Amino acid sequence: MLGKKLVTAQKRGETRALCLGLGMVTCSMMMYFFIGITIVPFYTKSVWTTETVCKVLKANIKDKVLHQDSEGSEDEDLSPYPCLQVWVNLTASGQEVMLYHTEDTLKRNPQCSYVPGKSENSKEVKARIETIASNFKKYQTFPCYYDPGGTQTNVILSRLYPPKGLFFAFLWPTLMFTGGCLIIVLVKISQYVSVLSAWQ
């Protein structure tokens, strides 16, 4: 009687462990799919792939502008913000080009090097932009990214999804997938050993 209870408990434990392993594998596959349709396209479409050194030539704050995308359409409901324009000397080619914060900055407003969030306070935005301008004037040389193919003549300060960020994005689902597969393999080995012991 006790033996039957132990076997039943063992089978229940194996079933739960198997469900856990399959659940982990399923979740990791869903995470792979989500990363594949969100992060990977932005990473592959970015042409600013080569790192170089930029030297600040001038950093000016121009008149206030509205939030504007690359096609020129403006949102009248948003408050205007000071337009920071940073021009740098690209070490790789010696050209004078405009610097943007990220790839998204150029898309949101090609006139400005930095575009604040849409819901930020105007006073905070002004103070932040002034701080950024003073930092550029203080630290003249810094790493930046440019397009080696020459499609884009401008440069960006940081990539939205660098290779390191993409690696960490895939790290957690990979660990979950590996752990799920390991649990399934261990359960199958346990079942095989149990059957082998019962046959002997």
Side-chain angles (χ1 to χ4, degrees):
M1 191 70 179
L2 182 61
K4 288 183 178 180
K5 288 182 178 180
L6 288 173
V7 171
T8 303
Q10 183 181 5
K11 287 184 178 180
R12 286 178 181 173
E14 289 175 350
T15 303
R16 290 173 182 173
L18 194 61
C19 289
L20 175 63
L22 290 173
M24 291 174 67
V25 170
T26 304
C27 288
S28 63
M29 296 305 291
M30 291 174 64
M31 291 172 69
Y32 278 130
F33 176 75
F34 180 75
I35 293 170
I37 63 174
T38 55
I39 297 178
V40 173
F42 285 107
Y43 176 79
T44 54
K45 288 178 182 178
S46 178
V47 295
W48 296 271
T49 55
T50 306
E51 185 175 345
T52 185
V53 176
C54 288
K55 185 177 181 181
V56 175
L57 296 176
K58 53 186 175 181
N60 302 323
I61 299 177
K62 299 185 70 178
D63 296 334
K64 291 185 176 181
V65 296
L66 290 172
H67 286 267
Q68 175 180 303
D69 60 24
S70 57
E71 297 177 355
S73 60
E74 296 180 345
D75 194 337
E76 300 293 341
D77 297 330
L78 298 169
S79 60
Y81 59 92
C83 183
L84 172 65
Q85 292 185 338
V86 180
W87 293 89
V88 298
N89 182 21
L90 186 60
T91 305
S93 62
Q95 293 177 314
E96 181 179 335
V97 296
M98 189 168 176
L99 174 75
Y100 294 95
H101 184 211
T102 62
E103 300 96 328
D104 188 53
T105 306
L106 177 62
K107 183 180 178 181
R108 291 173 63 188
N109 192 344
Q111 297 180 5
C112 307
S113 297
Y114 173 78
V115 178
K118 295 182 179 180
S119 59
E120 293 185 57
N121 183 281
S122 58
K123 290 183 179 180
E124 292 178 355
V125 168
K126 183 180 179 182
R128 183 180 294 112
I129 289 176
E130 288 176 351
T131 303
I132 293 172
S134 63
N135 285 337
F136 275 120
K137 291 175 182 178
K138 184 178 180 180
Y139 304 101
Q140 293 283 311
T141 306
F142 51 87
C144 60
Y145 295 89
Y146 75 101
D147 175 18
T151 308
Q152 294 286 346
T153 55
N154 42 58
V155 295
I156 60 172
L157 181 62
S158 59
R159 299 180 66 182
L160 281 174
Y161 300 104
K164 188 177 180 181
L166 197 66
F167 169 76
F168 281 110
F170 278 106
L171 177 63
W172 299 114
T174 301
L175 291 176
M176 185 180 291
F177 180 80
T178 305
C181 290
L182 186 61
I183 291 173
I184 293 172
V185 169
L186 290 175
V187 169
K188 291 300 181 181
I189 291 174
S190 175
Q191 290 175 344
Y192 174 76
V193 171
S194 297
V195 172
L196 188 64
S197 299
W199 181 77
Q200 289 179 349

